[in-house]
Structures are given as structure tokens and as C-alpha cells.
mmCIF file of all heavy atoms in Angstrom:
data_model
loop_
_atom_site.group_PDB
_atom_site.id
_atom_site.type_symbol
_atom_site.label_atom_id
_atom_site.label_comp_id
_atom_site.label_asym_id
_atom_site.label_seq_id
_atom_site.Cartn_x
_atom_site.Cartn_y
_atom_site.Cartn_z
ATOM 1 N N ILE A 11 0.829 -1.184 0.011
ATOM 2 C CA ILE A 11 0.040 -0.035 -0.007
ATOM 3 C C ILE A 11 0.867 1.253 -0.005
ATOM 4 O O ILE A 11 1.822 1.410 0.790
ATOM 5 C CB ILE A 11 -0.960 -0.001 1.172
ATOM 6 C CG1 ILE A 11 -1.926 -1.212 1.099
ATOM 7 C CG2 ILE A 11 -1.752 1.276 1.326
ATOM 8 C CD1 ILE A 11 -2.786 -1.430 2.282
ATOM 9 N N GLY A 12 0.609 2.145 -0.938
ATOM 10 C CA GLY A 12 1.335 3.423 -1.051
ATOM 11 C C GLY A 12 2.524 3.291 -2.054
ATOM 12 O O GLY A 12 3.059 4.325 -2.394
ATOM 13 N N LYS A 13 2.832 2.053 -2.430
ATOM 14 C CA LYS A 13 4.017 1.889 -3.319
ATOM 15 C C LYS A 13 3.512 1.994 -4.803
ATOM 16 O O LYS A 13 2.413 1.738 -5.116
ATOM 17 C CB LYS A 13 4.670 0.560 -3.061
ATOM 18 C CG LYS A 13 5.269 0.357 -1.658
ATOM 19 C CD LYS A 13 5.996 -0.861 -1.536
ATOM 20 C CE LYS A 13 6.641 -1.014 -0.086
ATOM 21 N NZ LYS A 13 7.578 0.016 0.178
ATOM 22 N N THR A 14 4.507 2.361 -5.642
ATOM 23 C CA THR A 14 4.209 2.497 -7.025
ATOM 24 C C THR A 14 4.927 1.358 -7.777
ATOM 25 O O THR A 14 6.130 1.082 -7.555
ATOM 26 C CB THR A 14 4.732 3.858 -7.606
ATOM 27 O OG1 THR A 14 4.032 4.864 -6.844
ATOM 28 C CG2 THR A 14 4.486 4.010 -9.110
ATOM 29 N N PHE A 15 4.247 0.748 -8.768
ATOM 30 C CA PHE A 15 4.804 -0.331 -9.542
ATOM 31 C C PHE A 15 4.737 0.028 -11.008
ATOM 32 O O PHE A 15 3.787 0.628 -11.482
ATOM 33 C CB PHE A 15 3.924 -1.621 -9.195
ATOM 34 C CG PHE A 15 4.066 -2.112 -7.845
ATOM 35 C CD1 PHE A 15 3.265 -1.668 -6.801
ATOM 36 C CD2 PHE A 15 5.083 -3.089 -7.435
ATOM 37 C CE1 PHE A 15 3.403 -2.065 -5.530
ATOM 38 C CE2 PHE A 15 5.201 -3.489 -6.170
ATOM 39 C CZ PHE A 15 4.349 -2.985 -5.248
ATOM 40 N N ARG A 16 5.768 -0.482 -11.744
ATOM 41 C CA ARG A 16 5.885 -0.133 -13.144
ATOM 42 C C ARG A 16 5.378 -1.314 -13.999
ATOM 43 O O ARG A 16 5.788 -2.476 -13.916
ATOM 44 C CB ARG A 16 7.315 0.013 -13.519
ATOM 45 C CG ARG A 16 7.577 0.491 -14.978
ATOM 46 C CD ARG A 16 9.060 0.569 -15.265
ATOM 47 N NE ARG A 16 9.789 1.499 -14.437
ATOM 48 C CZ ARG A 16 9.862 2.791 -14.744
ATOM 49 N NH1 ARG A 16 9.318 3.304 -15.849
ATOM 50 N NH2 ARG A 16 10.541 3.621 -13.929
ATOM 51 N N GLY A 17 4.442 -0.954 -14.826
ATOM 52 C CA GLY A 17 3.866 -1.900 -15.915
ATOM 53 C C GLY A 17 4.532 -1.636 -17.151
ATOM 54 O O GLY A 17 5.298 -0.792 -17.310
ATOM 55 N N ILE A 18 4.089 -2.449 -18.174
ATOM 56 C CA ILE A 18 4.663 -2.233 -19.491
ATOM 57 C C ILE A 18 4.135 -0.969 -20.070
ATOM 58 O O ILE A 18 4.821 -0.192 -20.818
ATOM 59 C CB ILE A 18 4.272 -3.437 -20.406
ATOM 60 C CG1 ILE A 18 4.987 -4.743 -19.868
ATOM 61 C CG2 ILE A 18 4.631 -3.213 -21.845
ATOM 62 C CD1 ILE A 18 4.498 -6.040 -20.658
ATOM 63 N N LYS A 19 2.937 -0.651 -19.735
ATOM 64 C CA LYS A 19 2.208 0.517 -20.386
ATOM 65 C C LYS A 19 2.161 1.791 -19.507
ATOM 66 O O LYS A 19 1.933 2.891 -19.964
ATOM 67 C CB LYS A 19 0.779 0.191 -20.778
ATOM 68 C CG LYS A 19 0.676 -0.955 -21.764
ATOM 69 C CD LYS A 19 -0.811 -1.341 -21.974
ATOM 70 C CE LYS A 19 -0.986 -2.505 -22.913
ATOM 71 N NZ LYS A 19 -2.406 -2.861 -23.102
ATOM 72 N N GLY A 20 2.372 1.559 -18.142
ATOM 73 C CA GLY A 20 2.275 2.685 -17.284
ATOM 74 C C GLY A 20 2.668 2.297 -15.861
ATOM 75 O O GLY A 20 3.181 1.229 -15.654
ATOM 76 N N ARG A 21 2.515 3.285 -14.942
ATOM 77 C CA ARG A 21 2.849 3.150 -13.553
ATOM 78 C C ARG A 21 1.582 3.208 -12.692
ATOM 79 O O ARG A 21 0.632 3.974 -13.019
ATOM 80 C CB ARG A 21 3.895 4.154 -13.070
ATOM 81 C CG ARG A 21 5.216 4.037 -13.824
ATOM 82 C CD ARG A 21 6.039 5.224 -13.579
ATOM 83 N NE ARG A 21 6.433 5.403 -12.197
ATOM 84 C CZ ARG A 21 7.529 4.979 -11.646
ATOM 85 N NH1 ARG A 21 8.417 4.232 -12.377
ATOM 86 N NH2 ARG A 21 7.933 5.244 -10.439
ATOM 87 N N TYR A 22 1.605 2.431 -11.612
ATOM 88 C CA TYR A 22 0.355 2.272 -10.767
ATOM 89 C C TYR A 22 0.693 2.390 -9.347
ATOM 90 O O TYR A 22 1.617 1.718 -8.822
ATOM 91 C CB TYR A 22 -0.333 0.974 -11.050
ATOM 92 C CG TYR A 22 -0.482 0.746 -12.569
ATOM 93 C CD1 TYR A 22 0.466 0.039 -13.311
ATOM 94 C CD2 TYR A 22 -1.632 1.277 -13.236
ATOM 95 C CE1 TYR A 22 0.346 -0.105 -14.696
ATOM 96 C CE2 TYR A 22 -1.778 1.062 -14.571
ATOM 97 C CZ TYR A 22 -0.806 0.401 -15.259
ATOM 98 O OH TYR A 22 -0.977 0.247 -16.715
ATOM 99 N N LYS A 23 -0.050 3.197 -8.608
ATOM 100 C CA LYS A 23 0.171 3.356 -7.150
ATOM 101 C C LYS A 23 -1.009 2.589 -6.478
ATOM 102 O O LYS A 23 -2.157 2.797 -6.697
ATOM 103 C CB LYS A 23 0.069 4.851 -6.752
ATOM 104 C CG LYS A 23 0.380 5.094 -5.333
ATOM 105 C CD LYS A 23 0.417 6.566 -4.980
ATOM 106 C CE LYS A 23 0.788 6.811 -3.528
ATOM 107 N NZ LYS A 23 0.844 8.262 -3.147
ATOM 108 N N VAL A 24 -0.491 1.735 -5.502
ATOM 109 C CA VAL A 24 -1.442 0.854 -4.785
ATOM 110 C C VAL A 24 -2.107 1.732 -3.680
ATOM 111 O O VAL A 24 -1.416 2.371 -2.925
ATOM 112 C CB VAL A 24 -0.709 -0.312 -4.152
ATOM 113 C CG1 VAL A 24 -1.653 -1.131 -3.247
ATOM 114 C CG2 VAL A 24 -0.182 -1.242 -5.183
ATOM 115 N N VAL A 25 -3.436 1.655 -3.629
ATOM 116 C CA VAL A 25 -4.226 2.398 -2.660
ATOM 117 C C VAL A 25 -4.673 1.616 -1.429
ATOM 118 O O VAL A 25 -4.438 2.038 -0.339
ATOM 119 C CB VAL A 25 -5.469 3.028 -3.350
ATOM 120 C CG1 VAL A 25 -6.320 3.761 -2.359
ATOM 121 C CG2 VAL A 25 -5.088 3.932 -4.533
ATOM 122 N N LYS A 26 -5.230 0.421 -1.665
ATOM 123 C CA LYS A 26 -5.715 -0.368 -0.550
ATOM 124 C C LYS A 26 -5.926 -1.817 -1.008
ATOM 125 O O LYS A 26 -6.075 -2.149 -2.153
ATOM 126 C CB LYS A 26 -6.930 0.152 0.053
ATOM 127 C CG LYS A 26 -8.157 0.166 -0.883
ATOM 128 C CD LYS A 26 -9.429 0.643 -0.155
ATOM 129 C CE LYS A 26 -10.639 0.527 -1.075
ATOM 130 N NZ LYS A 26 -11.876 1.076 -0.433
ATOM 131 N N LEU A 27 -5.936 -2.758 -0.059
ATOM 132 C CA LEU A 27 -6.281 -4.118 -0.240
ATOM 133 C C LEU A 27 -7.769 -4.175 -0.472
ATOM 134 O O LEU A 27 -8.579 -3.606 0.277
ATOM 135 C CB LEU A 27 -5.837 -4.977 0.918
ATOM 136 C CG LEU A 27 -5.990 -6.505 0.715
ATOM 137 C CD1 LEU A 27 -4.971 -7.052 -0.302
ATOM 138 C CD2 LEU A 27 -5.728 -7.163 2.098
ATOM 139 N N LEU A 28 -8.248 -4.874 -1.507
ATOM 140 C CA LEU A 28 -9.654 -5.067 -1.764
ATOM 141 C C LEU A 28 -10.200 -6.167 -0.912
ATOM 142 O O LEU A 28 -9.510 -7.183 -0.625
ATOM 143 C CB LEU A 28 -9.890 -5.287 -3.249
ATOM 144 C CG LEU A 28 -9.690 -4.056 -4.069
ATOM 145 C CD1 LEU A 28 -9.920 -4.395 -5.539
ATOM 146 C CD2 LEU A 28 -10.709 -2.866 -3.691
ATOM 147 N N GLY A 29 -11.508 -6.075 -0.608
ATOM 148 C CA GLY A 29 -12.240 -7.050 0.195
ATOM 149 C C GLY A 29 -11.871 -8.514 0.286
ATOM 150 O O GLY A 29 -10.806 -8.860 0.737
ATOM 151 N N LYS A 30 -12.684 -9.379 -0.291
ATOM 152 C CA LYS A 30 -12.494 -10.818 -0.277
ATOM 153 C C LYS A 30 -11.374 -11.229 -1.181
ATOM 154 O O LYS A 30 -11.343 -10.837 -2.363
ATOM 155 C CB LYS A 30 -13.753 -11.494 -0.696
ATOM 156 C CG LYS A 30 -14.035 -12.774 0.001
ATOM 157 C CD LYS A 30 -15.458 -13.221 -0.201
ATOM 158 C CE LYS A 30 -15.658 -14.575 0.457
ATOM 159 N NZ LYS A 30 -17.085 -15.012 0.274
ATOM 160 N N GLN A 31 -10.399 -11.947 -0.706
ATOM 161 C CA GLN A 31 -9.273 -12.372 -1.476
ATOM 162 C C GLN A 31 -9.435 -13.826 -1.915
ATOM 163 O O GLN A 31 -9.981 -14.687 -1.231
ATOM 164 C CB GLN A 31 -7.950 -12.211 -0.688
ATOM 165 C CG GLN A 31 -7.683 -10.777 -0.244
ATOM 166 C CD GLN A 31 -7.410 -9.854 -1.366
ATOM 167 O OE1 GLN A 31 -6.642 -10.230 -2.247
ATOM 168 N NE2 GLN A 31 -8.068 -8.737 -1.442
ATOM 169 N N GLY A 32 -8.829 -14.106 -3.108
ATOM 170 C CA GLY A 32 -8.817 -15.474 -3.602
ATOM 171 C C GLY A 32 -7.776 -16.358 -3.016
ATOM 172 O O GLY A 32 -6.944 -15.885 -2.204
ATOM 173 N N ALA A 33 -7.758 -17.590 -3.432
ATOM 174 C CA ALA A 33 -6.716 -18.574 -2.891
ATOM 175 C C ALA A 33 -5.402 -18.331 -3.457
ATOM 176 O O ALA A 33 -4.372 -18.620 -2.844
ATOM 177 C CB ALA A 33 -7.272 -19.965 -3.127
ATOM 178 N N MET A 34 -5.310 -17.808 -4.665
ATOM 179 C CA MET A 34 -4.045 -17.729 -5.357
ATOM 180 C C MET A 34 -3.431 -16.322 -5.435
ATOM 181 O O MET A 34 -2.197 -16.207 -5.593
ATOM 182 C CB MET A 34 -4.207 -18.201 -6.859
ATOM 183 C CG MET A 34 -4.799 -19.636 -6.992
ATOM 184 S SD MET A 34 -3.694 -20.923 -6.322
ATOM 185 C CE MET A 34 -2.278 -20.831 -7.392
ATOM 186 N N GLY A 35 -4.226 -15.323 -5.217
ATOM 187 C CA GLY A 35 -3.718 -13.935 -5.369
ATOM 188 C C GLY A 35 -4.123 -12.981 -4.348
ATOM 189 O O GLY A 35 -5.070 -13.158 -3.622
ATOM 190 N N LEU A 36 -3.391 -11.834 -4.248
ATOM 191 C CA LEU A 36 -3.734 -10.706 -3.464
ATOM 192 C C LEU A 36 -4.109 -9.553 -4.388
ATOM 193 O O LEU A 36 -3.391 -9.247 -5.326
ATOM 194 C CB LEU A 36 -2.506 -10.263 -2.647
ATOM 195 C CG LEU A 36 -2.132 -11.141 -1.371
ATOM 196 C CD1 LEU A 36 -0.851 -10.623 -0.752
ATOM 197 C CD2 LEU A 36 -3.247 -11.140 -0.334
ATOM 198 N N VAL A 37 -5.309 -8.998 -4.136
ATOM 199 C CA VAL A 37 -5.894 -8.113 -5.061
ATOM 200 C C VAL A 37 -6.010 -6.660 -4.392
ATOM 201 O O VAL A 37 -6.570 -6.600 -3.347
ATOM 202 C CB VAL A 37 -7.291 -8.538 -5.554
ATOM 203 C CG1 VAL A 37 -7.850 -7.554 -6.530
ATOM 204 C CG2 VAL A 37 -7.167 -9.932 -6.215
ATOM 205 N N PHE A 38 -5.529 -5.701 -5.107
ATOM 206 C CA PHE A 38 -5.478 -4.355 -4.529
ATOM 207 C C PHE A 38 -6.147 -3.358 -5.429
ATOM 208 O O PHE A 38 -6.165 -3.501 -6.702
ATOM 209 C CB PHE A 38 -4.044 -3.873 -4.395
ATOM 210 C CG PHE A 38 -3.203 -4.634 -3.370
ATOM 211 C CD1 PHE A 38 -2.635 -5.769 -3.684
ATOM 212 C CD2 PHE A 38 -3.093 -4.196 -2.047
ATOM 213 C CE1 PHE A 38 -1.809 -6.466 -2.835
ATOM 214 C CE2 PHE A 38 -2.343 -4.886 -1.152
ATOM 215 C CZ PHE A 38 -1.665 -6.036 -1.494
ATOM 216 N N LEU A 39 -6.736 -2.319 -4.919
ATOM 217 C CA LEU A 39 -7.189 -1.175 -5.606
ATOM 218 C C LEU A 39 -5.972 -0.242 -5.848
ATOM 219 O O LEU A 39 -5.161 -0.107 -4.954
ATOM 220 C CB LEU A 39 -8.239 -0.369 -4.918
ATOM 221 C CG LEU A 39 -8.652 0.925 -5.564
ATOM 222 C CD1 LEU A 39 -9.420 0.712 -6.844
ATOM 223 C CD2 LEU A 39 -9.538 1.742 -4.574
ATOM 224 N N ALA A 40 -5.781 0.218 -7.038
ATOM 225 C CA ALA A 40 -4.649 1.092 -7.398
ATOM 226 C C ALA A 40 -5.152 2.195 -8.357
ATOM 227 O O ALA A 40 -6.310 2.171 -8.852
ATOM 228 C CB ALA A 40 -3.476 0.323 -8.018
ATOM 229 N N GLU A 41 -4.249 3.114 -8.697
ATOM 230 C CA GLU A 41 -4.587 4.180 -9.555
ATOM 231 C C GLU A 41 -3.364 4.469 -10.448
ATOM 232 O O GLU A 41 -2.255 4.335 -10.034
ATOM 233 C CB GLU A 41 -5.111 5.429 -8.897
ATOM 234 C CG GLU A 41 -4.102 6.108 -7.947
ATOM 235 C CD GLU A 41 -4.711 7.337 -7.251
ATOM 236 O OE1 GLU A 41 -5.936 7.431 -7.302
ATOM 237 O OE2 GLU A 41 -3.913 8.105 -6.651
ATOM 238 N N THR A 42 -3.689 4.926 -11.638
ATOM 239 C CA THR A 42 -2.588 5.275 -12.601
ATOM 240 C C THR A 42 -1.897 6.582 -12.004
ATOM 241 O O THR A 42 -2.555 7.401 -11.488
ATOM 242 C CB THR A 42 -3.108 5.545 -13.989
ATOM 243 O OG1 THR A 42 -4.069 6.584 -13.895
ATOM 244 C CG2 THR A 42 -3.779 4.287 -14.609
ATOM 245 N N THR A 43 -0.667 6.696 -12.214
ATOM 246 C CA THR A 43 0.094 7.882 -11.760
ATOM 247 C C THR A 43 0.022 8.982 -12.807
ATOM 248 O O THR A 43 0.217 10.206 -12.500
ATOM 249 C CB THR A 43 1.595 7.554 -11.496
ATOM 250 O OG1 THR A 43 2.213 7.039 -12.718
ATOM 251 C CG2 THR A 43 1.753 6.463 -10.421
ATOM 252 N N SER A 44 -0.338 8.642 -14.064
ATOM 253 C CA SER A 44 -0.476 9.665 -15.052
ATOM 254 C C SER A 44 -1.889 10.241 -15.016
ATOM 255 O O SER A 44 -2.870 9.507 -14.589
ATOM 256 C CB SER A 44 -0.215 9.026 -16.426
ATOM 257 O OG SER A 44 -1.093 7.930 -16.688
ATOM 258 N N LYS A 45 -2.123 11.468 -15.408
ATOM 259 C CA LYS A 45 -3.385 12.074 -15.449
ATOM 260 C C LYS A 45 -4.119 11.853 -16.774
ATOM 261 O O LYS A 45 -3.437 11.814 -17.770
ATOM 262 C CB LYS A 45 -3.210 13.570 -15.154
ATOM 263 C CG LYS A 45 -2.691 13.807 -13.774
ATOM 264 C CD LYS A 45 -2.600 15.297 -13.490
ATOM 265 C CE LYS A 45 -2.117 15.569 -12.006
ATOM 266 N NZ LYS A 45 -2.026 17.020 -11.720
ATOM 267 N N PRO A 46 -5.407 11.751 -16.818
ATOM 268 C CA PRO A 46 -6.282 11.709 -15.619
ATOM 269 C C PRO A 46 -6.051 10.403 -14.837
ATOM 270 O O PRO A 46 -5.977 9.290 -15.451
ATOM 271 C CB PRO A 46 -7.685 11.801 -16.218
ATOM 272 C CG PRO A 46 -7.548 11.145 -17.583
ATOM 273 C CD PRO A 46 -6.187 11.493 -18.027
ATOM 274 N N LYS A 47 -6.033 10.424 -13.550
ATOM 275 C CA LYS A 47 -5.827 9.255 -12.750
ATOM 276 C C LYS A 47 -7.059 8.391 -12.861
ATOM 277 O O LYS A 47 -8.205 8.833 -12.714
ATOM 278 C CB LYS A 47 -5.608 9.592 -11.255
ATOM 279 C CG LYS A 47 -4.268 10.305 -11.025
ATOM 280 C CD LYS A 47 -3.957 10.560 -9.517
ATOM 281 C CE LYS A 47 -2.579 11.128 -9.375
ATOM 282 N NZ LYS A 47 -2.227 11.375 -7.968
ATOM 283 N N THR A 48 -6.775 7.091 -13.047
ATOM 284 C CA THR A 48 -7.842 6.086 -13.335
ATOM 285 C C THR A 48 -7.684 4.892 -12.290
ATOM 286 O O THR A 48 -6.569 4.507 -12.047
ATOM 287 C CB THR A 48 -7.741 5.465 -14.731
ATOM 288 O OG1 THR A 48 -7.839 6.604 -15.617
ATOM 289 C CG2 THR A 48 -8.890 4.544 -14.963
ATOM 290 N N LYS A 49 -8.794 4.518 -11.696
ATOM 291 C CA LYS A 49 -8.746 3.368 -10.799
ATOM 292 C C LYS A 49 -8.556 2.075 -11.618
ATOM 293 O O LYS A 49 -9.170 1.904 -12.632
ATOM 294 C CB LYS A 49 -10.049 3.303 -10.017
ATOM 295 C CG LYS A 49 -10.320 4.327 -8.999
ATOM 296 C CD LYS A 49 -11.619 4.139 -8.271
ATOM 297 C CE LYS A 49 -11.864 5.221 -7.280
ATOM 298 N NZ LYS A 49 -13.171 4.974 -6.543
ATOM 299 N N VAL A 50 -7.716 1.205 -11.042
ATOM 300 C CA VAL A 50 -7.516 -0.064 -11.613
ATOM 301 C C VAL A 50 -7.377 -1.080 -10.560
ATOM 302 O O VAL A 50 -7.362 -0.753 -9.333
ATOM 303 C CB VAL A 50 -6.179 -0.132 -12.462
ATOM 304 C CG1 VAL A 50 -6.290 0.779 -13.683
ATOM 305 C CG2 VAL A 50 -4.942 0.234 -11.599
ATOM 306 N N VAL A 51 -7.285 -2.369 -10.876
ATOM 307 C CA VAL A 51 -7.094 -3.489 -9.912
ATOM 308 C C VAL A 51 -5.721 -4.114 -10.264
ATOM 309 O O VAL A 51 -5.478 -4.383 -11.383
ATOM 310 C CB VAL A 51 -8.222 -4.434 -9.961
ATOM 311 C CG1 VAL A 51 -7.874 -5.715 -9.097
ATOM 312 C CG2 VAL A 51 -9.488 -3.852 -9.444
ATOM 313 N N ILE A 52 -4.856 -4.336 -9.222
ATOM 314 C CA ILE A 52 -3.686 -5.071 -9.383
ATOM 315 C C ILE A 52 -3.666 -6.350 -8.623
ATOM 316 O O ILE A 52 -4.043 -6.353 -7.436
ATOM 317 C CB ILE A 52 -2.443 -4.162 -8.905
ATOM 318 C CG1 ILE A 52 -2.257 -2.971 -9.810
ATOM 319 C CG2 ILE A 52 -1.214 -5.004 -8.999
ATOM 320 C CD1 ILE A 52 -1.003 -2.190 -9.565
ATOM 321 N N LYS A 53 -3.245 -7.391 -9.253
ATOM 322 C CA LYS A 53 -3.237 -8.727 -8.613
ATOM 323 C C LYS A 53 -1.829 -9.251 -8.536
ATOM 324 O O LYS A 53 -1.155 -9.283 -9.590
ATOM 325 C CB LYS A 53 -4.165 -9.710 -9.361
ATOM 326 C CG LYS A 53 -4.259 -11.072 -8.714
ATOM 327 C CD LYS A 53 -5.276 -11.904 -9.467
ATOM 328 C CE LYS A 53 -5.521 -13.231 -8.753
ATOM 329 N NZ LYS A 53 -6.548 -14.080 -9.435
ATOM 330 N N PHE A 54 -1.323 -9.612 -7.393
ATOM 331 C CA PHE A 54 -0.040 -10.234 -7.159
ATOM 332 C C PHE A 54 -0.244 -11.677 -6.678
ATOM 333 O O PHE A 54 -1.287 -12.047 -6.191
ATOM 334 C CB PHE A 54 0.719 -9.449 -6.028
ATOM 335 C CG PHE A 54 1.078 -8.053 -6.394
ATOM 336 C CD1 PHE A 54 0.174 -7.000 -6.105
ATOM 337 C CD2 PHE A 54 2.335 -7.761 -6.901
ATOM 338 C CE1 PHE A 54 0.455 -5.700 -6.405
ATOM 339 C CE2 PHE A 54 2.605 -6.425 -7.175
ATOM 340 C CZ PHE A 54 1.759 -5.362 -6.902
ATOM 341 N N ALA A 55 0.803 -12.453 -6.951
ATOM 342 C CA ALA A 55 0.740 -13.761 -6.330
ATOM 343 C C ALA A 55 0.665 -13.728 -4.836
ATOM 344 O O ALA A 55 1.353 -12.935 -4.181
ATOM 345 C CB ALA A 55 1.969 -14.616 -6.754
ATOM 346 N N LYS A 56 -0.173 -14.583 -4.254
ATOM 347 C CA LYS A 56 -0.370 -14.501 -2.767
ATOM 348 C C LYS A 56 0.813 -14.906 -2.013
ATOM 349 O O LYS A 56 1.090 -14.395 -0.945
ATOM 350 C CB LYS A 56 -1.557 -15.416 -2.472
ATOM 351 C CG LYS A 56 -2.157 -15.171 -1.118
ATOM 352 C CD LYS A 56 -3.490 -15.804 -0.912
ATOM 353 C CE LYS A 56 -4.208 -15.438 0.374
ATOM 354 N NZ LYS A 56 -5.519 -15.984 0.452
#
């Protein structure tokens, strides 16, 4: 949370952990660092 991660197309800042989590991954709400800021979901291996 609060960290920025680099994707192939852009950079994303993690905002918070989202509710119910799956067995295989951790899912976070994030937003693009470029404007206009857009909400996205980022999934990492659990």
C-alpha cells in the first residue's frame, strides 16, 4: 500500500487491499500515476 509499480504501459500506485481475497492472489485497488488518474485493480501472487 502506497507503493508504485511499473507496468509495460504505465505506472500504478497501490491504494488499498480489496475485500474478499482469492486462494491464489492478493488483489489491490490502485490508480494510474499519469493524469487523468484512473482506478485499476492489481493482482499479485499470494
